[in-house]
Amino acid sequence: MGKPEKSFKCGCCDAAVFENELTRNGAPVKIKKVVFQKRYRTKEGEWKSTSSLDINDIPKAILALSKAYEYLISGVDTGED
């Protein structure tokens, strides 16, 4: 996976916007998608990611995804990368 077009982080939660190019009816079409992950560190100090959320992660996930949604529908840059 390449570098995201835009990334929105809130604590350990990250929503990243990617642009994919597909071919439909012989014509290239660009489609944006959002990838969500929660990052955490294991007891051994290794970084991992998951889509599983604790109760305290839910507001952070909502905020990160809301910023990604706002970016997608309006093109507004909220100042985060």
Side-chain angles (χ1 to χ4, degrees), residues 17-58:
V17 178
F18 289 87
E19 185 173 83
N20 296 329
E21 188 170 305
L22 306 172
T23 302
R24 288 197 178 148
N25 299 325
V29 178
K30 293 183 179 183
I31 297 178
K32 295 187 184 203
K33 298 197 177 207
V34 175
V35 175
F36 174 82
Q37 68 179 354
K38 172 190 165 184
R39 299 283 292 162
Y40 67 96
R41 192 177 287 213
T42 65
K43 291 178 185 176
E44 297 78 29
E46 184 180 352
W47 283 100
K48 299 239 178 176
S49 62
T50 183
S51 58
S52 177
L53 301 173
D54 298 326
I55 192 167
N56 294 327
D57 297 326
I58 294 171

